[in-house]
Amino acid sequence: MKVSSKAQIEQKVEALLELMTLEEKIGQMSQIRHFEESADKHVTEKFIGSIIHTQGPNPGKTALGWQKRFIKLQKKALSTRLGIPLLFAVDAVHGQNTFEGATIFPHNVGLGATGNENLVQEIAEITALESQATGFNWVFSPCVAIPFNEKWGRVYEAFSESTELTEKLTRASVKGHQGNLADPKTVMATAKHFVGDGATDFGVEGGNTSLSRAGIKERLLAPYRMAVKENVGAVMASFNTVSGISMHAHKSLITDVLKADMNFDGIVVSDWKGYSRFGKNDIINAGIDMIMAVDGDLEDFQKGVKRGVETDTIAMSRIDDAVKRILRQKFRLGLFENPFPDSTLVSKIGIKKHRNVARQAVRESIVLLKNKNKVLPLDKETKKIVVVGEHANSSGLQSGGWTVNWQGTKENYKGATTILEGIKKHAKGNVVYDKEPTQNHFDADIAIIVVGETPYAEFFGDIGHESNTRKLTLTEEHQNYIKTYSEKGIKTIVVLVSGRPLVVTDQIETSDAFMATWLLGSEGDGVAEIIFGDFNFSGKLPHSWPKSEEDYKGKYGPNFWDKTIQPLYPLGYGLKY
Ligand code: BGC
């Protein structure tokens, strides 16, 4: 593999830019979906720079089918006058989660609980490989938000409320994804969402953060600085406003802080339909380099920017800066020499070796909050174990949003193991399943009760959002699962599946053992390995844990992080046997 030096890449970028027309430049700045009706035509006629895959029709039935679709689009791009290859981007945020059959890792909140940077790096390497195997060279990950507010529906996409921990794991993640970028097994990473996504007042997705400039600097910028230091290829702008100014149009934070102060030389990519939603040419002038010009935005974007240049409201130097950043990454990735995915990688998707790493991550991410009378580890010879709750028997429910679908799935998906399957595999006695307490198993020696949140992503996960009736507590139904069994005098081990800490003070009180497993991904049997004591617990809370819903009021408004509030458990808490 030949790697060009920085200086050589800069020369190539300059030389190519020289040859480009304005239309070709604006084309490079455009990202579209692969299944749009005229996608192929747009690649050649509108000189598209990048393709995105997220929710929506899959590019094919098999991994090779996905590759084939992208190879076709790539050939189109290469057939244009200048033959500039496409970037193929995907929301692979816990493994290549858009491809059913890929290895799905715990979401970042769980990785935060592991605190294990080597593991996070390895996970990113595997995600890069499985993403390449399905035809991508760019992932929209890691999310390096510092969530201040559990009401935010994206808490689980971020590592931790601790800036230091986030910084450490960001470094590992960027390193793991990108490695030596020209290696066809790695992908370009994206630090997102710049900046303040997790710090909005009341945890509203796309809301306003009233954090001061000093507060932003102190709490939120460090992970970006680290990502840039590790040469992250892209940074995605955030939906939120900062003190009323849209982040997409925030020139001082994007251009002065990120690009100038931090010396970021990669691509600032907009978020979904960023151009039409957040100020059109203002966002280009603020420093956004590539636009998700999806769902009908393409024409408006391309024409609008062209008009902007022609009327001198966008400087040509701004366009050149954007295009240079995009070309630079394409050269760094070696796409001009190696534009196509490697078909031999297909055989690596979801292999045992990858799943073993995911299972290790599951074990290390689980945080033990209570273990009364040493009920754990559970004896494998226990005569009768009843496993309760729909979350125990569904790999979809245990995995959360951004799994197979954007908003996740409640169904089992290919290649995954459920928590129940894992318990059955490891137990030597009788294991029965009671989806909801039926009275049939009140003779059990122990009840393992799996409760928690149903999958969500983005806006749909915000507590208080009009789309849902979510609360910071368990549903009454789930509370009753625990109550019913404990009232019968049966010892209970509660397994909480959730994307954030929930207010479960009473349920912790009622149960004998209580563990937080976050959103664990495809390897549900990691839970059994730790319940039965094959491994000890090592997970530590990546967030302070609320005692009551009231408690967190102070954390939510402009006065978040009210120091007078004592959480039930502090950041970093976690028991062992
Ligand atoms: C999300 C991003 C994601 C993008 C592309 C947006 O709605 O905020 O995190 O990368 O969609 O799917």
PDB file of all heavy atoms in Angstrom, residues 214-248:
ATOM      1  N   ALA A 214     -17.490  30.032  27.747  1.00  0.00           N
ATOM      2  CA  ALA A 214     -16.479  29.438  28.629  1.00  0.00           C
ATOM      3  C   ALA A 214     -16.888  28.019  29.017  1.00  0.00           C
ATOM      4  O   ALA A 214     -16.056  27.106  29.064  1.00  0.00           O
ATOM      5  CB  ALA A 214     -16.311  30.295  29.879  1.00  0.00           C
ATOM      6  N   GLY A 215     -18.190  27.841  29.260  1.00  0.00           N
ATOM      7  CA  GLY A 215     -18.705  26.520  29.615  1.00  0.00           C
ATOM      8  C   GLY A 215     -18.526  25.537  28.467  1.00  0.00           C
ATOM      9  O   GLY A 215     -18.174  24.369  28.662  1.00  0.00           O
ATOM     10  N   ILE A 216     -18.778  25.999  27.262  1.00  0.00           N
ATOM     11  CA  ILE A 216     -18.602  25.139  26.079  1.00  0.00           C
ATOM     12  C   ILE A 216     -17.139  24.719  25.979  1.00  0.00           C
ATOM     13  O   ILE A 216     -16.816  23.546  25.765  1.00  0.00           O
ATOM     14  CB  ILE A 216     -19.051  25.882  24.799  1.00  0.00           C
ATOM     15  CG1 ILE A 216     -20.570  26.021  24.805  1.00  0.00           C
ATOM     16  CG2 ILE A 216     -18.579  25.165  23.542  1.00  0.00           C
ATOM     17  CD1 ILE A 216     -21.159  26.766  23.636  1.00  0.00           C
ATOM     18  N   LYS A 217     -16.291  25.677  26.175  1.00  0.00           N
ATOM     19  CA  LYS A 217     -14.854  25.396  26.070  1.00  0.00           C
ATOM     20  C   LYS A 217     -14.432  24.388  27.143  1.00  0.00           C
ATOM     21  O   LYS A 217     -13.746  23.401  26.867  1.00  0.00           O
ATOM     22  CB  LYS A 217     -14.090  26.712  26.231  1.00  0.00           C
ATOM     23  CG  LYS A 217     -12.645  26.576  25.905  1.00  0.00           C
ATOM     24  CD  LYS A 217     -11.983  27.916  25.757  1.00  0.00           C
ATOM     25  CE  LYS A 217     -10.481  27.679  25.669  1.00  0.00           C
ATOM     26  NZ  LYS A 217      -9.702  28.728  26.244  1.00  0.00           N
ATOM     27  N   GLU A 218     -14.901  24.636  28.334  1.00  0.00           N
ATOM     28  CA  GLU A 218     -14.473  23.805  29.464  1.00  0.00           C
ATOM     29  C   GLU A 218     -15.018  22.381  29.375  1.00  0.00           C
ATOM     30  O   GLU A 218     -14.334  21.419  29.678  1.00  0.00           O
ATOM     31  CB  GLU A 218     -14.970  24.484  30.749  1.00  0.00           C
ATOM     32  CG  GLU A 218     -14.517  23.817  32.021  1.00  0.00           C
ATOM     33  CD  GLU A 218     -15.330  24.337  33.214  1.00  0.00           C
ATOM     34  OE1 GLU A 218     -15.857  25.491  33.119  1.00  0.00           O
ATOM     35  OE2 GLU A 218     -15.459  23.612  34.189  1.00  0.00           O
ATOM     36  N   ARG A 219     -16.280  22.249  28.948  1.00  0.00           N
ATOM     37  CA  ARG A 219     -16.923  20.946  29.050  1.00  0.00           C
ATOM     38  C   ARG A 219     -17.070  20.185  27.743  1.00  0.00           C
ATOM     39  O   ARG A 219     -17.134  18.963  27.734  1.00  0.00           O
ATOM     40  CB  ARG A 219     -18.316  21.109  29.651  1.00  0.00           C
ATOM     41  CG  ARG A 219     -18.277  21.499  31.092  1.00  0.00           C
ATOM     42  CD  ARG A 219     -19.636  21.942  31.543  1.00  0.00           C
ATOM     43  NE  ARG A 219     -19.654  22.192  32.966  1.00  0.00           N
ATOM     44  CZ  ARG A 219     -20.681  22.729  33.606  1.00  0.00           C
ATOM     45  NH1 ARG A 219     -21.757  23.059  32.941  1.00  0.00           N
ATOM     46  NH2 ARG A 219     -20.628  22.930  34.892  1.00  0.00           N
ATOM     47  N   LEU A 220     -17.202  20.898  26.624  1.00  0.00           N
ATOM     48  CA  LEU A 220     -17.619  20.205  25.402  1.00  0.00           C
ATOM     49  C   LEU A 220     -16.562  20.097  24.311  1.00  0.00           C
ATOM     50  O   LEU A 220     -16.665  19.249  23.435  1.00  0.00           O
ATOM     51  CB  LEU A 220     -18.851  20.904  24.799  1.00  0.00           C
ATOM     52  CG  LEU A 220     -20.043  21.161  25.722  1.00  0.00           C
ATOM     53  CD1 LEU A 220     -21.190  21.774  24.937  1.00  0.00           C
ATOM     54  CD2 LEU A 220     -20.492  19.870  26.399  1.00  0.00           C
ATOM     55  N   LEU A 221     -15.585  20.978  24.326  1.00  0.00           N
ATOM     56  CA  LEU A 221     -14.680  21.009  23.167  1.00  0.00           C
ATOM     57  C   LEU A 221     -13.549  19.988  23.222  1.00  0.00           C
ATOM     58  O   LEU A 221     -13.024  19.590  22.175  1.00  0.00           O
ATOM     59  CB  LEU A 221     -14.093  22.417  22.984  1.00  0.00           C
ATOM     60  CG  LEU A 221     -15.084  23.479  22.501  1.00  0.00           C
ATOM     61  CD1 LEU A 221     -14.378  24.828  22.318  1.00  0.00           C
ATOM     62  CD2 LEU A 221     -15.759  23.076  21.196  1.00  0.00           C
ATOM     63  N   ALA A 222     -13.204  19.549  24.418  1.00  0.00           N
ATOM     64  CA  ALA A 222     -12.040  18.668  24.546  1.00  0.00           C
ATOM     65  C   ALA A 222     -12.098  17.423  23.650  1.00  0.00           C
ATOM     66  O   ALA A 222     -11.107  17.093  22.997  1.00  0.00           O
ATOM     67  CB  ALA A 222     -11.849  18.271  26.010  1.00  0.00           C
ATOM     68  N   PRO A 223     -13.234  16.730  23.572  1.00  0.00           N
ATOM     69  CA  PRO A 223     -13.256  15.551  22.699  1.00  0.00           C
ATOM     70  C   PRO A 223     -13.011  15.900  21.227  1.00  0.00           C
ATOM     71  O   PRO A 223     -12.414  15.109  20.486  1.00  0.00           O
ATOM     72  CB  PRO A 223     -14.663  14.983  22.880  1.00  0.00           C
ATOM     73  CG  PRO A 223     -15.179  15.578  24.138  1.00  0.00           C
ATOM     74  CD  PRO A 223     -14.491  16.890  24.323  1.00  0.00           C
ATOM     75  N   TYR A 224     -13.471  17.079  20.819  1.00  0.00           N
ATOM     76  CA  TYR A 224     -13.223  17.488  19.421  1.00  0.00           C
ATOM     77  C   TYR A 224     -11.738  17.755  19.198  1.00  0.00           C
ATOM     78  O   TYR A 224     -11.153  17.386  18.178  1.00  0.00           O
ATOM     79  CB  TYR A 224     -14.069  18.715  19.055  1.00  0.00           C
ATOM     80  CG  TYR A 224     -15.521  18.345  18.904  1.00  0.00           C
ATOM     81  CD1 TYR A 224     -16.415  18.552  19.945  1.00  0.00           C
ATOM     82  CD2 TYR A 224     -15.984  17.729  17.746  1.00  0.00           C
ATOM     83  CE1 TYR A 224     -17.741  18.164  19.831  1.00  0.00           C
ATOM     84  CE2 TYR A 224     -17.307  17.346  17.616  1.00  0.00           C
ATOM     85  CZ  TYR A 224     -18.182  17.565  18.661  1.00  0.00           C
ATOM     86  OH  TYR A 224     -19.489  17.173  18.544  1.00  0.00           O
ATOM     87  N   ARG A 225     -11.153  18.415  20.202  1.00  0.00           N
ATOM     88  CA  ARG A 225      -9.727  18.696  20.101  1.00  0.00           C
ATOM     89  C   ARG A 225      -8.953  17.372  19.964  1.00  0.00           C
ATOM     90  O   ARG A 225      -8.040  17.241  19.160  1.00  0.00           O
ATOM     91  CB  ARG A 225      -9.279  19.446  21.362  1.00  0.00           C
ATOM     92  CG  ARG A 225      -8.151  20.415  21.148  1.00  0.00           C
ATOM     93  CD  ARG A 225      -7.874  21.219  22.405  1.00  0.00           C
ATOM     94  NE  ARG A 225      -8.850  22.276  22.656  1.00  0.00           N
ATOM     95  CZ  ARG A 225      -8.907  23.432  22.016  1.00  0.00           C
ATOM     96  NH1 ARG A 225      -8.022  23.703  21.081  1.00  0.00           N
ATOM     97  NH2 ARG A 225      -9.822  24.335  22.298  1.00  0.00           N
ATOM     98  N   MET A 226      -9.376  16.406  20.749  1.00  0.00           N
ATOM     99  CA  MET A 226      -8.721  15.101  20.707  1.00  0.00           C
ATOM    100  C   MET A 226      -8.936  14.422  19.353  1.00  0.00           C
ATOM    101  O   MET A 226      -8.006  13.865  18.773  1.00  0.00           O
ATOM    102  CB  MET A 226      -9.283  14.223  21.839  1.00  0.00           C
ATOM    103  CG  MET A 226      -8.632  12.880  21.959  1.00  0.00           C
ATOM    104  SD  MET A 226      -6.848  13.009  22.156  1.00  0.00           S
ATOM    105  CE  MET A 226      -6.737  13.157  23.942  1.00  0.00           C
ATOM    106  N   ALA A 227     -10.173  14.483  18.865  1.00  0.00           N
ATOM    107  CA  ALA A 227     -10.473  13.862  17.571  1.00  0.00           C
ATOM    108  C   ALA A 227      -9.620  14.498  16.472  1.00  0.00           C
ATOM    109  O   ALA A 227      -9.076  13.802  15.605  1.00  0.00           O
ATOM    110  CB  ALA A 227     -11.954  14.012  17.250  1.00  0.00           C
ATOM    111  N   VAL A 228      -9.491  15.806  16.525  1.00  0.00           N
ATOM    112  CA  VAL A 228      -8.709  16.512  15.503  1.00  0.00           C
ATOM    113  C   VAL A 228      -7.236  16.096  15.617  1.00  0.00           C
ATOM    114  O   VAL A 228      -6.558  15.868  14.618  1.00  0.00           O
ATOM    115  CB  VAL A 228      -8.875  18.047  15.640  1.00  0.00           C
ATOM    116  CG1 VAL A 228      -7.911  18.786  14.726  1.00  0.00           C
ATOM    117  CG2 VAL A 228     -10.321  18.444  15.319  1.00  0.00           C
ATOM    118  N   LYS A 229      -6.776  15.990  16.842  1.00  0.00           N
ATOM    119  CA  LYS A 229      -5.390  15.560  17.061  1.00  0.00           C
ATOM    120  C   LYS A 229      -5.142  14.175  16.444  1.00  0.00           C
ATOM    121  O   LYS A 229      -4.060  13.893  15.934  1.00  0.00           O
ATOM    122  CB  LYS A 229      -5.132  15.521  18.567  1.00  0.00           C
ATOM    123  CG  LYS A 229      -3.691  15.649  18.928  1.00  0.00           C
ATOM    124  CD  LYS A 229      -3.505  15.892  20.412  1.00  0.00           C
ATOM    125  CE  LYS A 229      -2.278  15.138  20.872  1.00  0.00           C
ATOM    126  NZ  LYS A 229      -2.346  14.745  22.270  1.00  0.00           N
ATOM    127  N   GLU A 230      -6.176  13.342  16.485  1.00  0.00           N
ATOM    128  CA  GLU A 230      -6.075  12.001  15.904  1.00  0.00           C
ATOM    129  C   GLU A 230      -6.414  12.008  14.415  1.00  0.00           C
ATOM    130  O   GLU A 230      -6.654  10.963  13.818  1.00  0.00           O
ATOM    131  CB  GLU A 230      -7.006  11.031  16.643  1.00  0.00           C
ATOM    132  CG  GLU A 230      -6.533  10.632  18.029  1.00  0.00           C
ATOM    133  CD  GLU A 230      -5.165   9.966  18.038  1.00  0.00           C
ATOM    134  OE1 GLU A 230      -4.846   9.227  17.084  1.00  0.00           O
ATOM    135  OE2 GLU A 230      -4.407  10.209  18.995  1.00  0.00           O
ATOM    136  N   ASN A 231      -6.486  13.213  13.829  1.00  0.00           N
ATOM    137  CA  ASN A 231      -6.740  13.343  12.393  1.00  0.00           C
ATOM    138  C   ASN A 231      -8.108  12.887  11.925  1.00  0.00           C
ATOM    139  O   ASN A 231      -8.237  12.314  10.837  1.00  0.00           O
ATOM    140  CB  ASN A 231      -5.678  12.574  11.602  1.00  0.00           C
ATOM    141  CG  ASN A 231      -4.410  13.359  11.489  1.00  0.00           C
ATOM    142  OD1 ASN A 231      -4.461  14.554  11.199  1.00  0.00           O
ATOM    143  ND2 ASN A 231      -3.291  12.709  11.743  1.00  0.00           N
ATOM    144  N   VAL A 232      -9.109  13.086  12.741  1.00  0.00           N
ATOM    145  CA  VAL A 232     -10.452  12.690  12.313  1.00  0.00           C
ATOM    146  C   VAL A 232     -10.775  13.352  10.972  1.00  0.00           C
ATOM    147  O   VAL A 232     -10.437  14.515  10.747  1.00  0.00           O
ATOM    148  CB  VAL A 232     -11.502  13.061  13.397  1.00  0.00           C
ATOM    149  CG1 VAL A 232     -11.762  14.553  13.479  1.00  0.00           C
ATOM    150  CG2 VAL A 232     -12.807  12.292  13.173  1.00  0.00           C
ATOM    151  N   GLY A 233     -11.403  12.576  10.064  1.00  0.00           N
ATOM    152  CA  GLY A 233     -11.641  13.090   8.719  1.00  0.00           C
ATOM    153  C   GLY A 233     -12.802  14.062   8.625  1.00  0.00           C
ATOM    154  O   GLY A 233     -12.830  14.931   7.755  1.00  0.00           O
ATOM    155  N   ALA A 234     -13.788  13.906   9.521  1.00  0.00           N
ATOM    156  CA  ALA A 234     -14.980  14.747   9.412  1.00  0.00           C
ATOM    157  C   ALA A 234     -15.538  15.112  10.780  1.00  0.00           C
ATOM    158  O   ALA A 234     -15.314  14.410  11.759  1.00  0.00           O
ATOM    159  CB  ALA A 234     -16.056  14.031   8.598  1.00  0.00           C
ATOM    160  N   VAL A 235     -16.254  16.212  10.793  1.00  0.00           N
ATOM    161  CA  VAL A 235     -17.003  16.646  11.972  1.00  0.00           C
ATOM    162  C   VAL A 235     -18.393  17.011  11.464  1.00  0.00           C
ATOM    163  O   VAL A 235     -18.524  17.673  10.429  1.00  0.00           O
ATOM    164  CB  VAL A 235     -16.331  17.869  12.647  1.00  0.00           C
ATOM    165  CG1 VAL A 235     -17.244  18.487  13.699  1.00  0.00           C
ATOM    166  CG2 VAL A 235     -14.996  17.472  13.280  1.00  0.00           C
ATOM    167  N   MET A 236     -19.432  16.540  12.169  1.00  0.00           N
ATOM    168  CA  MET A 236     -20.796  16.861  11.741  1.00  0.00           C
ATOM    169  C   MET A 236     -21.368  17.988  12.599  1.00  0.00           C
ATOM    170  O   MET A 236     -21.248  17.964  13.825  1.00  0.00           O
ATOM    171  CB  MET A 236     -21.705  15.630  11.853  1.00  0.00           C
ATOM    172  CG  MET A 236     -23.080  15.821  11.220  1.00  0.00           C
ATOM    173  SD  MET A 236     -24.196  14.399  11.501  1.00  0.00           S
ATOM    174  CE  MET A 236     -23.392  13.138  10.531  1.00  0.00           C
ATOM    175  N   ALA A 237     -22.003  18.942  11.923  1.00  0.00           N
ATOM    176  CA  ALA A 237     -22.629  20.049  12.650  1.00  0.00           C
ATOM    177  C   ALA A 237     -23.905  19.564  13.329  1.00  0.00           C
ATOM    178  O   ALA A 237     -24.545  18.620  12.892  1.00  0.00           O
ATOM    179  CB  ALA A 237     -22.962  21.185  11.686  1.00  0.00           C
ATOM    180  N   SER A 238     -24.254  20.238  14.405  1.00  0.00           N
ATOM    181  CA  SER A 238     -25.372  19.788  15.229  1.00  0.00           C
ATOM    182  C   SER A 238     -26.673  20.520  14.897  1.00  0.00           C
ATOM    183  O   SER A 238     -26.664  21.629  14.375  1.00  0.00           O
ATOM    184  CB  SER A 238     -25.011  20.010  16.700  1.00  0.00           C
ATOM    185  OG  SER A 238     -25.962  19.395  17.522  1.00  0.00           O
ATOM    186  N   PHE A 239     -27.775  19.868  15.235  1.00  0.00           N
ATOM    187  CA  PHE A 239     -29.102  20.456  15.025  1.00  0.00           C
ATOM    188  C   PHE A 239     -29.402  21.624  15.975  1.00  0.00           C
ATOM    189  O   PHE A 239     -30.286  22.425  15.720  1.00  0.00           O
ATOM    190  CB  PHE A 239     -30.185  19.395  15.292  1.00  0.00           C
ATOM    191  CG  PHE A 239     -30.358  18.373  14.200  1.00  0.00           C
ATOM    192  CD1 PHE A 239     -30.683  17.055  14.511  1.00  0.00           C
ATOM    193  CD2 PHE A 239     -30.231  18.721  12.871  1.00  0.00           C
ATOM    194  CE1 PHE A 239     -30.882  16.104  13.515  1.00  0.00           C
ATOM    195  CE2 PHE A 239     -30.430  17.779  11.857  1.00  0.00           C
ATOM    196  CZ  PHE A 239     -30.752  16.467  12.191  1.00  0.00           C
ATOM    197  N   ASN A 240     -28.707  21.666  17.106  1.00  0.00           N
ATOM    198  CA  ASN A 240     -29.097  22.630  18.143  1.00  0.00           C
ATOM    199  C   ASN A 240     -28.605  24.047  17.845  1.00  0.00           C
ATOM    200  O   ASN A 240     -27.770  24.268  16.953  1.00  0.00           O
ATOM    201  CB  ASN A 240     -28.562  22.184  19.510  1.00  0.00           C
ATOM    202  CG  ASN A 240     -27.065  22.094  19.540  1.00  0.00           C
ATOM    203  OD1 ASN A 240     -26.503  21.108  19.073  1.00  0.00           O
ATOM    204  ND2 ASN A 240     -26.400  23.120  20.032  1.00  0.00           N
ATOM    205  N   THR A 241     -29.142  24.980  18.605  1.00  0.00           N
ATOM    206  CA  THR A 241     -28.629  26.343  18.563  1.00  0.00           C
ATOM    207  C   THR A 241     -27.766  26.555  19.811  1.00  0.00           C
ATOM    208  O   THR A 241     -27.896  25.836  20.793  1.00  0.00           O
ATOM    209  CB  THR A 241     -29.770  27.377  18.576  1.00  0.00           C
ATOM    210  OG1 THR A 241     -30.597  27.126  19.723  1.00  0.00           O
ATOM    211  CG2 THR A 241     -30.638  27.277  17.342  1.00  0.00           C
ATOM    212  N   VAL A 242     -26.878  27.508  19.738  1.00  0.00           N
ATOM    213  CA  VAL A 242     -26.096  27.897  20.904  1.00  0.00           C
ATOM    214  C   VAL A 242     -26.423  29.362  21.173  1.00  0.00           C
ATOM    215  O   VAL A 242     -26.207  30.206  20.294  1.00  0.00           O
ATOM    216  CB  VAL A 242     -24.585  27.696  20.655  1.00  0.00           C
ATOM    217  CG1 VAL A 242     -23.758  28.386  21.730  1.00  0.00           C
ATOM    218  CG2 VAL A 242     -24.242  26.209  20.621  1.00  0.00           C
ATOM    219  N   SER A 243     -26.976  29.616  22.325  1.00  0.00           N
ATOM    220  CA  SER A 243     -27.469  30.958  22.667  1.00  0.00           C
ATOM    221  C   SER A 243     -28.253  31.555  21.503  1.00  0.00           C
ATOM    222  O   SER A 243     -28.051  32.709  21.113  1.00  0.00           O
ATOM    223  CB  SER A 243     -26.303  31.873  23.039  1.00  0.00           C
ATOM    224  OG  SER A 243     -25.660  31.351  24.170  1.00  0.00           O
ATOM    225  N   GLY A 244     -29.111  30.739  20.909  1.00  0.00           N
ATOM    226  CA  GLY A 244     -30.012  31.218  19.867  1.00  0.00           C
ATOM    227  C   GLY A 244     -29.457  31.173  18.449  1.00  0.00           C
ATOM    228  O   GLY A 244     -30.198  31.352  17.491  1.00  0.00           O
ATOM    229  N   ILE A 245     -28.171  30.913  18.303  1.00  0.00           N
ATOM    230  CA  ILE A 245     -27.604  30.856  16.936  1.00  0.00           C
ATOM    231  C   ILE A 245     -27.503  29.401  16.495  1.00  0.00           C
ATOM    232  O   ILE A 245     -26.948  28.556  17.206  1.00  0.00           O
ATOM    233  CB  ILE A 245     -26.192  31.490  16.897  1.00  0.00           C
ATOM    234  CG1 ILE A 245     -26.270  32.941  17.377  1.00  0.00           C
ATOM    235  CG2 ILE A 245     -25.593  31.406  15.492  1.00  0.00           C
ATOM    236  CD1 ILE A 245     -24.912  33.589  17.544  1.00  0.00           C
ATOM    237  N   SER A 246     -28.038  29.120  15.296  1.00  0.00           N
ATOM    238  CA  SER A 246     -27.990  27.749  14.780  1.00  0.00           C
ATOM    239  C   SER A 246     -26.540  27.297  14.659  1.00  0.00           C
ATOM    240  O   SER A 246     -25.697  28.019  14.122  1.00  0.00           O
ATOM    241  CB  SER A 246     -28.652  27.707  13.405  1.00  0.00           C
ATOM    242  OG  SER A 246     -28.272  26.516  12.754  1.00  0.00           O
ATOM    243  N   MET A 247     -26.246  26.095  15.132  1.00  0.00           N
ATOM    244  CA  MET A 247     -24.864  25.609  15.028  1.00  0.00           C
ATOM    245  C   MET A 247     -24.417  25.472  13.573  1.00  0.00           C
ATOM    246  O   MET A 247     -23.244  25.638  13.272  1.00  0.00           O
ATOM    247  CB  MET A 247     -24.705  24.266  15.761  1.00  0.00           C
ATOM    248  CG  MET A 247     -24.142  24.355  17.157  1.00  0.00           C
ATOM    249  SD  MET A 247     -22.770  25.521  17.388  1.00  0.00           S
ATOM    250  CE  MET A 247     -21.539  24.915  16.246  1.00  0.00           C
ATOM    251  N   HIS A 248     -25.360  25.182  12.682  1.00  0.00           N
ATOM    252  CA  HIS A 248     -24.974  25.080  11.269  1.00  0.00           C
ATOM    253  C   HIS A 248     -24.489  26.426  10.724  1.00  0.00           C
ATOM    254  O   HIS A 248     -23.734  26.474   9.766  1.00  0.00           O
ATOM    255  CB  HIS A 248     -26.158  24.584  10.428  1.00  0.00           C
ATOM    256  CG  HIS A 248     -26.276  23.089  10.381  1.00  0.00           C
ATOM    257  ND1 HIS A 248     -26.627  22.338  11.474  1.00  0.00           N
ATOM    258  CD2 HIS A 248     -26.088  22.207   9.366  1.00  0.00           C
ATOM    259  CE1 HIS A 248     -26.648  21.055  11.134  1.00  0.00           C
ATOM    260  NE2 HIS A 248     -26.320  20.948   9.863  1.00  0.00           N
TER     261      HIS A 248
END
